[in-house]
Amino acid sequence: MSEGTETGDGDVGTVSLVGSGPGDPDLMTVKAAELIESADVVLHDKLPGPEILGRIPEEKREDVGKRAGGEWTPQEYTNRRLVELAREGKSVVRLKGGDPFVFGRGGEEAEHLAEAGIPFEVVPGVTSAIAGPAVAGIPVTHRDHASSVSFVTGHEDPTKEESAVDWEALAATGGTIVVLMGVGKLPAYTAELRDAGLAGDTPVALVERATWPEMRVATGTLDTIVDARDDVGIEPPAITVIGDVAATRDRVVEFLRNDGERGEGE
């Protein structure tokens, strides 16, 4: 019998692929909060942030993110666990930071659940790709500076033989480039963008832990942002914003009330 037809005894539960937003509990959707409250089990990693995770009773939380010693839970395990719990009749929330379908592997999990015959729903969240820059005073589009925005990942599947990100094409396209999970590879892709013709004085900003109490920001240019990152001590999770819009922060930050702890590289 195939995985898609074997359901075991009793009623099959449901899985909700839920986006928790960028980390501030007030930015979760009402539906996300309700599902977390009523769920039997919440499978999560660290990206929802300590305030959100702290509101979930420990007995119904399962961490499927980073483990001690730097190991990560394989995606295959998470997929299997979602199916196992649903076949036990559980109401399961797969909780993700930001939006589940923006570099969150929500699409992979949806396909796996469908193949296994498990009913599921998707609850979109406020994506950090937009919210992160916004709370730092940076609009990803602006009539005077950028009429397009590209979202890319700075951390691809390590089994890929070559990157699927065409940095040369991005440099030629113009507009705003937003890189998620790109702190470690910042020197590599800023160099690629310069080699592709993007000016070294193009504004760049890094926003760490956007909307969290310990949020930090570093600003600079393609030529200086690596040093600014190191001066401020920016660490993952962080978002990189490349383009003229990154410079708007300097013009609004004095009056920005939802700005977190300011970095020293500004």
Side-chain angles (χ1 to χ4, degrees):
M1 186 176 291
S2 70
E3 185 181 23
T5 58
E6 181 183 354
T7 59
D9 298 329
D11 295 332
V12 176
T14 60
V15 176
S16 300
L17 304 176
V18 177
S20 65
D24 182 343
D26 290 341
L27 296 179
M28 278 199 303
T29 64
V30 172
K31 186 166 188 177
E34 290 175 346
L35 285 170
I36 292 169
E37 175 71 23
S38 62
D40 296 314
V41 185
V42 178
L43 272 63
H44 67 89
D45 54 27
K46 299 295 191 296
L47 289 178
E51 288 193 75
I52 291 174
L53 295 179
R55 297 184 179 191
I56 306 170
E58 188 173 352
E59 61 270 16
K60 72 175 187 179
R61 291 197 327 244
E62 287 192 21
D63 188 344
V64 291
K66 193 172 184 178
R67 303 290 186 179
E71 294 182 357
W72 292 83
T73 303
Q75 183 63 42
E76 292 76 12
Y77 170 84
T78 302
N79 291 347
R80 288 197 308 270
R81 188 65 178 142
L82 289 171
V83 171
E84 290 171 357
L85 290 167
R87 285 180 175 163
E88 293 172 7
K90 303 282 200 247
S91 172
V92 185
V93 164
R94 174 67 173 105
L95 188 64
K96 300 168 177 291
D99 182 273
F101 281 8
V102 181
F103 301 127
R105 297 188 179 180
E108 298 172 45
E109 292 168 359
E111 289 180 313
H112 186 81
L113 291 167
E115 184 180 350
I118 303 298
F120 70 93
E121 67 174 325
V122 178
V123 181
V126 177
T127 174
S128 57
I130 296 173
V135 298
I138 301 168
V140 294
T141 63
H142 191 297
R143 286 196 304 169
D144 295 334
H145 304 296
S147 57
S148 67
V149 56
S150 301
F151 300 110
V152 300
T153 176
H155 183 74
E156 296 184 273
D157 185 341
T159 63
K160 289 183 179 178
E161 293 185 2
E162 59 183 39
S163 174
V165 178
D166 188 339
W167 296 103
E168 186 172 354
L170 288 170
T173 298
T176 305
I177 303 171
V178 178
V179 185
L180 283 78
M181 302 172 287
V183 176
K185 295 187 177 179
L186 182 67
Y189 61 79
T190 52
E192 288 200 53
L193 288 169
R194 285 196 304 270
D195 291 344
L198 205 58
D201 61 357
T202 300
V204 182
L206 290 168
V207 186
E208 176 190 342
R209 302 177 194 273
T211 79
W212 298 20
E214 59 269 42
M215 170 179 156
R216 294 192 294 182
V217 181
T219 58
T221 66
L222 274 181
D223 287 338
T224 66
I225 193 62
V226 173
D227 288 338
R229 176 200 66 180
D230 296 341
D231 289 343
V232 177
I234 297 290
E235 297 180 351
I239 297 158
T240 309
V241 186
I242 303 167
D244 290 342
V245 293
T248 62
R249 171 176 166 82
D250 293 337
R251 298 191 286 272
V252 303
V253 67
E254 181 180 354
F255 298 96
L256 185 62
R257 295 277 67 86
N258 63 344
D259 188 38
E261 179 184 344
R262 294 187 190 173
E264 298 173 358
E266 306 183 61

